[in-house]
Amino acid sequence: MRKNSILFIVGIAIVLVLGFLLPWTIRNPFYFFVGYVVLQYVTIATGWNILGGYAGYINFGAAGFFGAGVYLSAFLFTTFGLPLPLCILAAATFGAVLGVLMGYLTLRIQGVYFAIATLGLVVVLETIVHNIPALGGASGMAVYGPRPPTWSPGPSQYNFTIMLVIAVASVALARFVEISWVGRGLRAVRASEDAAECSGVPTLRLKLLACALSGAVLAAAGAPYPFYTSFVEPVTAFSLIIGLNAIAMPLIGGTKSWAGPVLGALLLASVQQIATVTISSELNILFVGLVLIAFVAFAPGGLADLFGRRPRRAKP
C-alpha cells in the first residue's frame, strides 16, 4: 500500500474518532446543526465532482438527486418505519438507478445541452412530488424521527454523526475513483472524448458508471435531511441553492482531485453559515454567485491549482 493511501486511511480514522467524541465534549447542539450543513455540502460537492469534475460533464441536476433522496427517505420512514441507515442505503440505490437512466437519456449530448437536460430533471422530479398526495404535495410532510441511540447524546448530534459517516464514505469513494483505472478513463473523456474512444476507452460505460456513482452520493446526502429538519417540502428539497453550491464548491476548491470539492465545501459552506447567522440567509445566493465569478475570473483552476502552482525557473 502506498504512503499516500496509508495517510488517507489514518486521516479518515482520526476524523471519524473525533466525530464520535465531539458530541460528548461540546454540549451546545447549535454547532452540530451547523456542522451537519457543512458536511452535507461536502458530500454534495464530492458527488457532483465525480461526473462534473472527473468526466467534465457539467451537471445542473444535483438538486434533483438530493431531493429524490430526501423524499424517498421520508416516505420509507413514515410509511414503513425503516431506520435511517436503511433509508440512506435505499436512497443511494435509487440515486444510482436514476443516474443511469439520466445518463442513457442525456449522455449522447455534450456541453450546454447536457447541462440544460440535467436541469430539466429537477423540474420533472419536483413536479412529480407536487402531484403525489402520499408525499405531502406542495404543502410538504412532517417527519418525526425516532429517538437517537444510546451512543449519541441528542438528535442533532446523531444527525451530525450520520452525515459525517456519509461524507467520509463519499470522499473515500471519490478518491478511489480518482486513483483507479476508472478515474484515468474519465480524465481521458474530459480531455477528448473522441480520442479516448479511438484509444479503446469504454467511454459510454465509464460515463454511465460516473452518473450512477454521482447520483448515489447526491441522493445519500439528502436521505438524513428529513430527520434534520422534521419537515420537507418541494421548494426546499429541490432548491436552487443546492444545485448552485454543488457547482460552485468544486470549482472553488478545484475539480481535478477529491480534495478540491472538500476544500471548497468546507470554505464556502462555513462562510455561508456565518453569514446566515450574522447578516441574512437571503444573501447566500448572491454571495455564492459573486465568489464563483471571482474564482472563474482569477483562479479558474480553484484553490488547489492556485496554491499548488510553482514559480517557473528563469531561463539562463
Side-chain angles (χ1 to χ4, degrees):
M1 186 179 292
R2 295 182 178 180
K3 180 180 179 181
N4 289 340
S5 297
I6 295 176
L7 292 176
F8 181 79
I9 294 174
V10 171
I12 281 182
I14 293 174
V15 169
L16 289 175
V17 170
L18 290 176
F20 278 88
L21 291 179
L22 282 178
W24 296 100
T25 56
I26 300 176
R27 297 300 179 183
N28 190 345
F30 172 76
Y31 295 108
F32 297 99
F33 277 101
V34 174
Y36 175 93
V37 176
V38 174
L39 292 172
Q40 171 187 282
Y41 277 118
V42 168
T43 308
I44 291 174
T46 300
W48 182 93
N49 199 58
I50 293 176
L51 179 63
Y54 294 165
Y57 275 75
I58 304 301
N59 176 18
F60 284 172
F65 292 96
F66 178 86
V70 169
Y71 270 95
L72 180 61
S73 177
F75 175 77
L76 292 177
F77 176 76
T78 56
T79 305
F80 302 104
L82 292 184
L84 178 55
L86 290 182
C87 292
I88 295 172
L89 181 61
T93 304
F94 180 75
V97 174
L98 186 62
V100 172
L101 293 176
M102 183 197 73
Y104 268 117
L105 295 175
T106 60
L107 283 176
R108 298 187 184 277
I109 55 179
Q110 299 178 7
V112 66
Y113 303 103
F114 174 81
I116 294 174
T118 57
L119 183 61
L121 175 69
V122 182
V123 178
V124 170
L125 291 176
E126 184 175 357
T127 303
I128 292 175
V129 170
H130 270 283
N131 292 277
I132 298 181
L135 298 178
S139 58
M141 61 188 301
V143 181
Y144 302 103
R147 292 182 178 180
T150 55
W151 52 263
S152 182
S156 59
Q157 292 88 340
Y158 175 62
N159 292 327
F160 168 83
T161 305
I162 291 296
M163 183 51 69
L164 176 65
V165 174
I166 296 175
V168 168
S170 66
V171 171
L173 174 64
R175 185 181 183 275
F176 173 76
V177 171
E178 179 184 337
I179 64 177
S180 67
W181 66 270
V182 177
R184 292 191 293 271
L186 292 177
R187 288 192 292 272
V189 170
R190 182 182 61 190
S192 175
E193 188 166 339
D194 292 335
E197 187 75 32
C198 293
S199 301
V201 177
T203 56
L204 180 58
R205 282 187 291 174
L206 284 178
K207 291 187 295 184
L208 289 176
L209 178 60
C211 285
L213 295 177
S214 178
V217 173
L218 291 170
Y225 185 79
F227 302 86
Y228 170 75
T229 60
S230 300
F231 183 81
V232 295
E233 48 90 20
V235 175
T236 303
F238 299 95
S239 173
L240 171 65
I241 190 65
I242 295 175
L244 182 59
N245 279 327
I247 299 173
M249 291 173 178
L251 292 180
I252 290 172
T255 60
K256 296 181 180 180
S257 71
W258 62 269
V262 176
L263 179 62
L266 290 175
L267 176 63
L268 189 56
S270 299
V271 173
Q272 282 182 332
Q273 292 304 303
I274 295 173
T276 300
V277 175
T278 58
I279 305 175
S280 171
S281 60
E282 285 77 12
L283 294 177
N284 275 345
I285 296 181
L286 175 61
F287 176 77
V288 173
L290 293 176
V291 172
L292 184 58
I293 292 173
F295 270 87
V296 169
F298 301 106
L303 291 173
D305 277 3
L306 185 64
F307 293 109
R309 292 174 183 172
R310 295 181 179 179
R312 297 181 179 178
R313 295 180 179 179
K315 295 182 179 180

